[in-house]
Each structure stands twice: as structure tokens, then as C-alpha cells.
Amino acid sequence: MSNQNQVRAKKHLGQHFLKDENIAKKIADTLTLQGYKDVLEIGPGMGVLTKYLLKKDIKTHVIEIDTESVEYLKNNYLNLSDRIYEKDFLKYDLTEVFKDQPFAIIGNFPYNISSQIVFKTLEMRYQIPEFSGMFQKEVAQRICSKEGSKIYGILSVLTQAFYDAEYLFTVPPSVFNPPPKVDSGVLLLKRKENFTLPCDEVLFFKVVKTGFQQRRKTLRNSLKTFNLSDNLKANTIFGQRPEQLSVSQFIELTSLIENDQN
């Protein structure tokens, strides 16, 4: 390996390089490798996690926006060179790489775009059966939280509508260079066997986002823009606040609104 100090962590990219080999291996081992032959690592940096993925019986691809990191990976991981994509994950059309084949996602995600990475994964859920990675601890907990929790929100409901979410373990700041100011958390998302919803999915996303935008209000008030009939608003579900509803209740709520509008 070349000198590890060759790649500077860049603040504007939210980079914190993991330097603990045991944790890198532990994250790589979270993947079940079932239902796909390819894995895409987002933001590999200097490849501390990549090297453990390359030991597995799976085809590893990496996507990295940092030119310096790309150069480092090309010099140090020669067997990966044709599967290093110098692109922005959020803007890149991944069908150019994977066509319509399934693939998993893994990574030590930059904190500043971690929620957007999840939203893009949800858009591509038909191709992504498994997703594993490291977030700011609070974000990882939010994704996995259940109704009734103060941190339960848009990200929790939309993710858990399609994936089973499990918080795996916490990672301290000391194992990164530079150390972040907060703990990190690793989670695993496994797509549900039945991941199509029995309601209008576009409307479902809209109902969830609108409901949580005014999370202290009852749904009767926060969903006013949907022009609901008085008859529907009398339903007891509208007397609750969004954080009180489970994912299945949000699906039920969407179906009620859908029928009301037809």
C-alpha cells in the first residue's frame, strides 16, 4: 500500500476516513450476499472497507467523487480499476453499470448526504435487495425507529415501508481520521419480500411527507391540503399525530385518502 496520508479528508465532502480494520471487516460482514452478485460501495476513500469486500464471493464496484481518492484506489487496488466510477452517486444513472440487475449498497456514508443516499435507494428499491452502512448515529437510529418515538419521522416510515431496518452497532469517533464530533451507527436494510404497497405509492410518499412537516398537529390539520371530505375527516385516524401511526397505518391512511378522492 502507498502512504495512507496521500488522501486528505475534505470537509466539504464530509469525509471521515475509517482507520479501524476490525470495524471495516465487521461492516463488510453485515452483507448476506443473497439475491445479488454485485455490490456498490459509496465513498470508499482509501479502501479500508473495499479490501474486505474484495475478499468476498461478489463483484465489488465503488463510486467516488473525490479525484484524489480515485487516484489512490487505482494505484492500490489494481484488480478493481475498471469498476471505479468517478461520479456523484446522487446524480449518476446506475443502470449504466448494472442495467436491470440487482445489486447491494454499502459504505461509510458522508454525513451531509446520508439521507439523500437513502432516498435514492428507495427510488431504486426494485434493484436493491440489501443496503448496509454507517451513518451519524442519530440518523441510523431515526431510520430504524418505530412509531411513538420522538425521532420517528419521514425517513423511518418511507424506509420501513419497503425494507426491514435493523440498527446493528455503534462506532466511536476515535476510529476515524479526522474524528467526527458524534458517534456513528451501522444499520442493515433488507428489502421485504412483498415490497409493493397496496395503495398509490406516489400518494403514500406525499401523505407521509406532508403529515410530518407539521408533526405536532393532528393529521386532520396537517393534511388539509388534500381537501378531504368531512365524512373522511371524522375517521378517528385523523385525530392522531403522524408519529403515532405505524407504517401499516400510513398505508391504510393513504388508501382512505385515495378512495375519498375518487
Side-chain angles (χ1 to χ4, degrees), residues 14 23 69 82-83 94 100 102 104-105 107 138 142 147-148 153 178 194 199-200 204 241:
I23 290 174
S69 287
D82 60 339
R83 298 191 306 281
L94 290 165
D100 59 355
I105 282 180
E138 183 198 330
R142 187 183 306 146
E147 68 276 11
N194 182 7
C199 63
D200 181 320
F204 174 76
R241 292 195 307 278

Side-chain angles (χ1 to χ4, degrees), residues 105-205:
I105 282 180
I106 196 167
N108 167 21
F109 306 123
Y111 288 168
N112 52 351
I113 59 162
S114 59
S115 296
Q116 292 159 273
I117 289 172
V118 176
F119 284 127
K120 177 155 180 181
T121 298
L122 295 180
E123 282 171 24
M124 297 192 69
R125 59 191 176 273
Y126 296 93
Q127 265 183 279
I128 302 173
E130 198 162 71
F131 175 107
S132 170
M134 183 149 51
F135 293 80
Q136 188 172 330
K137 182 183 178 182
E138 183 198 330
V139 177
Q141 287 177 322
R142 187 183 306 146
I143 292 168
C144 300
S145 68
K146 296 294 179 192
E147 68 276 11
S149 161
K150 280 188 165 62
I151 57 171
Y152 180 73
I154 294 171
L155 211 49
S156 330
V157 177
L158 297 183
T159 304
Q160 292 174 45
F162 307 103
Y163 290 86
D164 291 319
E166 185 186 357
Y167 185 93
L168 299 177
F169 55 91
T170 300
V171 181
S174 57
V175 300
F176 295 94
N177 182 25
K181 292 187 169 68
V182 292
D183 283 345
S184 300
V186 176
L187 60 73
L188 176 65
L189 305 180
K190 289 169 83 170
R191 194 176 60 196
K192 295 182 174 183
E193 277 188 34
N194 182 7
F195 60 94
T196 53
L197 303 183
C199 63
D200 181 320
E201 292 187 358
V202 174
L203 184 61
F204 174 76
F205 274 72

